[in-house]
Amino acid sequence: MTTLSRPIVISPEGPSLLAWLNPVAFARTMVGHRNLIWQFVKRDLRNRTRGTHLGFAWDILNPLLMLVVYTIVFSSILEARLSGKQTETAMEYALYLFAGLTAFQMFAEPFGRSAAQITSKRNFVKKMAFPLEIFAISGVLTSTIHAAIGFALVFLAALLVTGGVAWTAVLLPLLLLPAVFLAIAAGWALGAMGVYFRDLQQFLGTSITRLLFFVTPIIYSVEMVPEKIRWILYLNPLTVVVSGVRSVVLAGEQPNWLAWGVWSAIGLVAMLLSYAIFMRARRGFADVI
Amino acid sequence: MSSDVVIAHEPTSPGQSPVPVSMRDPRSAAPDDVVIDIRELSKCYRVFPKPSDRLKQAVLGWKRRYHRDFWALRDINLQIHRGEAVGVIGRNGSGKSTLMQIIAGVLTPTEGQVGVRGRVDALLELGSAFNPEFTGRENVFLYGAILGLKRRDVEARFDDIAAFADIGDFLDQPVKTYSSGMKVRLAFSVQIQLDPEILVIDEALAVGDNLFQKRCHQRLRRLRENSGVTLVFVSHQQEVIRTVTTRAVLLHEGAIRAVGQPGEVVLEYRRLLHDEEKRSAVGHVRQLERQASKTRETARADAQANGTPSCFGDFDAVIESVEILDELGDPAGQFTAGEPMRIRIQGEVHTPLTHLNVAIRIRNKEGVKIYSWGTLNQDIDAWATTGPSAEPEAFWDREFAAGERFCVEFACDCRLGAGFYEVQAMVAEERDQYYEDERVLHWQDEAAFFTVRVPKDQHFFGGVCDLNMRAEYDDA
């Protein structure tokens, strides 16, 4: 039996928004919940293929099949090219597309579900004192693992097609950082908003995610966009991530580090801020859900 | 009332504990031993008439209020000491679950505060964290993690958990194949292996079978006596409150009505239930009387304001009274099987109307419609023999002027089985002669009640109605 500690006081006021904006406390809670976060990542990963005969193999098969489909479509049906690169083969284009898509999905998947993240976990809100903040983290970790499998396939395919992978590919995890920060931030901010405005769920997963897909250079390259409106692309953090990923993995070039740095910083601040908003807003969740 | 129980008809003043000194555990003389300290706790829910009002409140809340306040808890003061087992009883909606949720840290109080020393493990709903797709074994580890246990801790206790849950091979089956009782068993087994400090249980154990409940209560008692675990739980089983708890709290309409020795508090609870029952019967009569004096406009406004399903219609005609009478025309509430009874409906027509149908419906306690009959049914009978509208006496053909009154009496021999019956009354304007198209002018649920007794010594029968059977047999 532990000795009686100082009481925890449950009161109407609770810590203020500013009190939650403490990076040290933030890091400490996240580390403290690492076991729980990992459990939920495992649960998410397994949940998807639970009950199937192939199990985990689907997590590899699915992206592999997607890559095959793209290659067939673009080599024999569409013969699409990224402009200005006449030497490029259809297989290379398929790889370009797939690498970009993998990076995009890593963000879009948790982003699309963010508004429903808390409302869909009714029991965790109403039936126990649960650290709801971990769902944003575990969701993004799950999609990052899926992305890792996708990128492993990209490396493999690149080895087969071009005979080698540029050394710059080691920069990949670093490049994904802004997308990870922003996806977690969206998980908290939109997750909290989604509790009070359920309407958010309706268009976030569909219209907004699809719009995001088209304003990100995935099926096209940044160079294909008229220079006059190219700046619009750079308002989208995923532009930096997606084109950066292609540069380091497929082209062996350095990404735009300045843009990357700016978006990483914005992502970090957004993450801390939305964490504070979430922790403040969650006090009312059980009243509404 | 024994001196062990404090009945708090008035809210206790701040800081003044309603706990009588004699109930305190001698070990817990020090104030430090208070593990749950509830002070002036209130919880208010905002009730929005429409979902869109919630948005309006959020956007325009500074301008005006779009919600009604509902105080689920009002000014609760309660100190719970280490090692106590406190049972909370009260009717549905008395605030029990809200109180549990606040102690568990799920809900935020509106006013006041709760101080909690030690880790609270709340079983607000056992097994609610289980993932139905995973096996029991996998869920045990997940649940352990949720409750803050490391994997190896769960591994070390796994055999104990499995033994207590006692669900056999189901442990390796997905939880979706479990019965609710099995889910509770597994969840509870994990929970008690955790060295809990404060256990908050909200009616969770009621799902398990009797043997399992008994084992749970034994285990809880051991935990409390040997490890100083504090228990707070809600139960509707008065027997459980009496035998398992050391102190009971009676909540009524969000306030503490009584606190003290469990047996006494349970008694107070039963007294309360009895009073409420009596009051609700009287209430119906009053409601009826009130209804009788209402004009069309006020009846309509009232029905709309309350939104009660018990009364609706256009109120172009209103039912003012529904009486149940005996043979002699005197009001009666109780009949023996076979006795004549009459149901008299009186009302007023507000606009000129014809083709009226005044009808009743009888439902039993379980809400099953036993019988319905109306003036239209009688008219249909008449038309069947003489052809439509040939009978000048048909109620259907009567023309009512504004302000004209009607009085319809339904007479029968009471052939119902023993029980409690509700009478619903209706007046409607019929647009055809077959109940196909009607406009309800006034529908009144629970318009009157009566009970039927079936004496054991004369014409005794079972069931909801008397079919008046005759047994025939060969002469021996």
Side-chain angles (χ1 to χ4, degrees):
Chain A
M1 190 73 206
T2 50
T3 50
L4 291 170
S5 50
R6 236 183 32 186
I8 299 163
V9 176
I10 304 164
S11 67
E13 298 80 28
S16 69
L17 197 64
L18 278 175
W20 287 114
L21 272 176
N22 177 352
V24 180
F26 168 80
R28 203 179 293 148
T29 4
M30 288 308 135
V31 173
H33 289 313
R34 64 186 185 282
N35 182 30
L36 200 53
I37 292 172
W38 180 233
Q39 287 291 335
F40 274 88
V41 171
K42 276 205 296 200
R43 174 172 138 149
D44 282 354
L45 286 174
R46 270 192 246 169
N47 219 357
R48 198 161 316 195
T49 54
R50 171 70 32 166
T52 61
H53 289 291
L54 294 179
F56 281 120
W58 277 116
D59 284 326
I60 298 161
L61 267 175
N62 267 331
L64 186 65
L65 288 174
M66 200 160 81
L67 182 58
V68 170
V69 169
Y70 283 147
T71 311
I72 294 170
V73 168
F74 291 111
S75 62
S76 49
I77 303 171
L78 279 178
E79 291 192 44
R81 296 281 140 91
L82 292 174
S83 77
K85 297 196 174 178
Q86 291 305 318
T87 53
E88 188 184 337
T89 68
M91 182 68 195
E92 277 173 329
Y93 179 67
L95 215 53
Y96 250 76
L97 192 65
F98 186 73
L101 203 61
T102 304
F104 174 79
Q105 276 301 333
M106 187 190 78
F107 176 84
E109 200 189 11
F111 176 79
R113 278 186 283 125
S114 59
Q117 189 191 64
I118 300 303
T119 50
S120 65
K121 305 256 183 349
R122 197 170 181 279
N123 280 343
F124 290 92
V125 178
K126 289 200 81 117
K127 302 294 180 190
M128 61 193 96
F130 188 85
L132 299 169
E133 60 273 23
I134 70 152
F135 289 129
I137 307 255
S138 67
V140 174
L141 272 181
T142 307
S143 74
T144 310
I145 289 170
H146 283 294
I149 296 169
F151 283 122
L153 288 175
V154 170
F155 290 150
L156 219 67
L159 268 175
L160 290 176
V161 176
T162 59
V165 178
W167 72 267
T168 46
V170 298
L171 297 170
L172 178 67
L174 211 56
L175 267 166
L176 294 174
L177 226 48
V180 170
F181 289 160
L182 286 166
I184 295 173
W188 281 324
L190 299 174
M193 269 169 76
V195 172
Y196 298 99
F197 307 103
R198 299 244 175 166
D199 309 58
L200 205 58
Q201 296 170 21
Q202 295 304 319
F203 61 90
L204 207 65
T206 50
S207 330
I208 297 291
T209 315
R210 226 149 276 173
L211 177 71
L212 205 60
F213 176 82
F214 286 111
V215 297
T216 306
I218 298 167
I219 47 175
Y220 55 89
S221 69
V222 180
E223 292 75 32
M224 286 165 73
V225 178
E227 239 167 292
K228 253 195 244 164
I229 56 165
R230 205 175 280 172
W231 59 272
I232 296 174
L233 280 188
Y234 283 100
L235 292 181
N236 172 9
L238 293 180
T239 301
V240 177
V241 175
V242 168
S243 55
V245 163
R246 283 167 168 167
S247 310
V248 299
V249 176
L250 300 172
E253 291 162 3
Q254 290 290 328
N256 182 347
W257 285 114
L258 179 68
W260 177 87
V262 170
W263 278 112
S264 295
I266 292 173
L268 200 63
V269 171
M271 191 168 74
L272 288 172
L273 205 64
S274 50
Y275 173 72
I277 291 169
F278 182 88
M279 295 309 277
R280 191 67 197 156
R282 69 156 292 178
R283 300 169 59 77
F285 287 175
D287 287 348
V288 183
I289 287 181
Chain B
M1 186 60 46
S2 131
S3 61
D4 278 346
V5 182
V6 177
I7 307 288
H9 292 288
E10 296 293 314
T12 45
S13 57
Q16 182 196 330
S17 156
V19 185
V21 176
S22 62
M23 283 313 298
R24 285 198 180 141
D25 190 321
R27 287 174 302 168
S28 56
D32 263 14
D33 242 22
V34 174
V35 287
I36 299 175
D37 188 3
I38 302 168
R39 291 194 185 272
E40 292 164 72
L41 181 72
S42 298
K43 173 72 187 178
C44 174
Y45 288 104
R46 292 171 165 195
V47 182
F48 294 91
K50 284 177 295 176
S52 61
D53 286 342
R54 192 181 287 282
L55 187 64
K56 280 191 205 155
Q57 178 68 34
V59 181
L60 304 163
W62 50 276
K63 260 184 169 169
R64 58 166 273 213
R65 266 166 43 131
Y66 290 89
H67 60 88
R68 201 155 51 73
D69 284 348
F70 172 73
W71 290 89
L73 288 177
R74 262 278 160 88
D75 222 356
I76 302 288
N77 284 285
L78 183 67
Q79 279 71 40
I80 296 173
H81 303 261
R82 190 214 274 197
E84 264 195 299
V86 176
V88 180
I89 48 175
R91 298 192 53 204
N92 293 334
S94 59
K96 304 184 299 289
S97 291
T98 303
L99 182 62
M100 296 297 117
Q101 282 177 301
I102 292 175
I103 294 174
V106 172
L107 277 179
T108 311
T110 309
E111 283 167 17
Q113 61 176 50
V114 180
V116 178
R117 287 172 199 266
R119 195 182 71 225
V120 177
D121 289 327
L123 317 186
L124 295 181
E125 191 181 302
L126 281 171
S128 49
F130 283 166
N131 184 327
E133 296 297 323
F134 293 131
T135 67
R137 190 181 297 273
E138 288 168 315
N139 268 302
V140 166
F141 284 98
L142 184 67
Y143 204 35
I146 289 172
L147 297 167
L149 242 63
K150 293 204 168 58
R151 189 178 173 87
R152 60 170 182 279
D153 293 335
V154 181
E155 264 162 10
R157 292 159 206 230
F158 192 85
D159 289 343
D160 286 342
I161 292 170
F164 192 86
D166 193 22
I167 56 170
D169 293 337
F170 271 98
L171 204 55
D172 290 307
Q173 293 294 315
V175 164
K176 65 181 173 192
T177 65
Y178 286 26
S179 69
S180 50
M182 278 155 67
K183 243 186 280 181
V184 165
R185 294 169 85 121
L186 190 61
F188 183 77
S189 307
V190 181
Q191 202 104 23
I192 55 164
Q193 296 295 336
L194 286 177
D195 304 326
E197 292 174 13
I198 301 166
L199 265 175
V200 176
I201 305 175
D202 188 359
E203 288 180 79
L205 296 180
V207 190
D209 59 36
N210 286 339
L211 180 65
F212 184 72
Q213 281 191 32
K214 192 173 134 262
R215 281 167 54 200
C216 288
H217 291 139
Q218 276 170 355
R219 178 62 74 98
L220 289 174
R221 177 169 307 195
R222 258 213 329 270
L223 280 172
R224 194 165 59 74
E225 283 166 1
N226 302 343
S227 333
V229 172
T230 309
L231 288 179
V232 186
F233 72 94
V234 167
S235 181
H236 278 294
Q237 294 164 284
Q238 297 172 6
E239 201 46 41
V240 171
I241 296 284
R242 249 209 310 270
T243 53
V244 181
T245 65
T246 57
R247 189 150 65 103
V249 175
L250 172 58
L251 280 183
H252 183 60
E253 289 170 359
I256 293 182
R257 178 72 169 262
V259 55
Q261 200 264 326
E264 300 278 343
V265 174
V266 166
L267 208 65
E268 177 66 19
Y269 176 49
R270 289 163 72 163
R271 209 169 284 147
L272 180 86
L273 286 181
H274 180 75
D275 285 354
E276 297 253 309
E277 203 163 336
K278 236 173 36 191
R279 207 168 316 142
S280 78
V282 172
H284 284 305
V285 174
R286 291 240 175 85
Q287 196 187 341
L288 238 59
E289 286 167 353
R290 270 205 307 276
Q291 221 96 48
S293 63
K294 262 175 201 155
T295 67
R296 165 191 176 195
E297 288 313 314
T298 55
R300 186 208 296 269
D302 198 54
Q304 280 166 354
N306 296 334
T308 46
S310 67
C311 168
F312 67 90
D314 296 341
F315 305 107
D316 281 344
V318 294
I319 294 163
E320 290 176 348
S321 76
V322 177
E323 291 163 291
I324 297 175
L325 312 169
D326 64 12
E327 218 170 346
L328 304 168
D330 292 327
Q334 197 181 65
F335 297 88
T336 22
E339 258 184 342
M341 70 182 281
R342 302 175 82 82
I343 299 170
R344 181 196 286 159
I345 299 177
Q346 286 177 292
E348 193 181 331
V349 174
H350 289 302
T351 52
L353 283 169
T354 179
H355 298 178
L356 282 193
N357 175 25
V358 177
I360 57 118
R361 188 187 259 203
I362 296 175
R363 296 202 301 179
N364 69 2
K365 207 169 61 208
E366 288 76 31
V368 177
K369 173 174 153 186
I370 303 292
Y371 184 71
S372 67
W373 188 257
T375 53
L376 180 61
N377 299 68
Q378 202 143 309
D379 291 342
I380 289 172
D381 251 12
W383 295 326
T385 49
T386 60
S389 299
E391 184 78 46
E393 294 303 308
F395 195 76
W396 165 274
D397 291 323
R398 275 211 202 169
E399 280 170 25
F400 287 91
E404 196 176 332
R405 304 183 56 80
F406 59 87
C407 174
V408 178
E409 280 190 28
F410 295 95
C412 67
D413 288 341
C414 175
R415 293 194 184 281
L416 296 170
F420 182 75
Y421 295 90
E422 170 204 351
V423 176
Q424 299 171 312
M426 176 193 80
V427 53
E429 182 193 21
E430 301 291 333
R431 298 207 174 95
D432 64 26
Q433 302 180 333
Y434 314 99
Y435 267 111
E436 298 278 302
D437 184 10
E438 66 180 13
R439 181 166 70 101
V440 174
L441 304 174
H442 188 182
W443 174 290
Q444 180 77 54
D445 268 353
E446 304 184 346
F449 301 90
F450 63 92
T451 52
V452 177
R453 265 179 342 116
V454 176
K456 281 228 173 354
D457 48 356
Q458 63 178 72
H459 196 72
F460 173 76
F461 65 93
V464 291
C465 98
D466 181 10
L467 294 178
N468 231 338
M469 281 196 178
R470 290 280 162 265
E472 291 172 6
Y473 41 86
D474 300 334
D475 292 326

